[in-house]
Amino acid sequence: MNYNIEVSLKKDNEFSSFLEKMIREFNNKHSIHHKEVRKKESVQSINIIVSDERKEWVGGVNADVYWGWVEINNFWFQEEFRGKGLGGIILEKTEQIAKEKGAKKALLTTFEFQARTFYELKGYKVVGEIKDYPPGSSYYTMVKDLG
């Protein structure tokens, strides 16, 4: 077997796409769950958009439902909309929609300087922590049983 090793220190979108494609093919071959989730409409998206009186976006959430889980991908509000209960309302609405779509559990990630305490107050539990990522902080994986 002959091969060549090349090192590049620049971002290479074409090479990244190649690796992602190969990993997808491997996962599809070895996991029925990965193969099924890639079928059209097997991932159900949830987007809850919050706008101000000028109809400008001030925050919201986007999430995906698959494998009986809801994965909360992005959840953010402008500073002046925080601390007023809006986040709890939006999170609860997201979870309710996800349950209607078949989710039994919720998954999200957050940094220590973001919203860990908020999520814990809403019933999420830390199931994984990467310490010192970024330096001086932690990165958490959190889950909640939507029972």
Side-chain angles (χ1 to χ4, degrees), residues 17-74:
S17 294
F18 163 76
L19 291 177
E20 290 170 6
K21 178 181 182 276
M22 295 297 101
I23 291 169
R24 263 193 319 273
E25 288 178 9
F26 178 89
N27 290 349
N28 285 348
K29 182 177 177 183
H30 296 281
S31 168
I32 187 74
H33 301 291
H34 283 82
K35 187 174 184 176
E36 291 298 314
V37 81
R38 290 189 177 96
K39 290 183 178 175
K40 188 176 180 180
E41 297 184 23
S42 64
V43 175
Q44 301 173 69
S45 295
I46 301 171
N47 294 291
I48 300 178
I49 302 164
V50 180
S51 303
D52 64 12
E53 62 277 354
R54 296 170 304 203
K55 300 192 189 244
E56 293 182 16
W57 295 341
V58 298
V61 64
N62 70 22
D64 293 312
V65 179
Y66 57 95
W67 296 339
W69 288 74
V70 58
E71 183 172 358
I72 298 171
N73 300 311
N74 298 293

Side-chain angles (χ1 to χ4, degrees), residues 34-123:
H34 283 82
K35 187 174 184 176
E36 291 298 314
V37 81
R38 290 189 177 96
K39 290 183 178 175
K40 188 176 180 180
E41 297 184 23
S42 64
V43 175
Q44 301 173 69
S45 295
I46 301 171
N47 294 291
I48 300 178
I49 302 164
V50 180
S51 303
D52 64 12
E53 62 277 354
R54 296 170 304 203
K55 300 192 189 244
E56 293 182 16
W57 295 341
V58 298
V61 64
N62 70 22
D64 293 312
V65 179
Y66 57 95
W67 296 339
W69 288 74
V70 58
E71 183 172 358
I72 298 171
N73 300 311
N74 298 293
F75 188 21
W76 178 86
F77 286 100
Q78 288 180 0
E79 195 72 36
E80 62 266 26
F81 289 86
R82 297 179 189 169
K84 297 174 175 43
L86 184 57
I89 292 167
I90 297 302
L91 184 59
E92 186 176 314
K93 186 167 191 68
T94 302
E95 292 169 351
Q96 183 58 43
I97 293 168
K99 285 168 56 174
E100 291 168 7
K101 294 180 172 290
K104 306 281 188 244
K105 295 185 179 189
L107 165 72
L108 58 84
T109 58
T110 190
F111 288 100
E112 183 176 350
F113 56 84
Q114 290 178 327
R116 175 185 171 179
T117 304
F118 167 78
Y119 293 123
E120 287 176 326
L121 290 171
K122 302 302 178 188

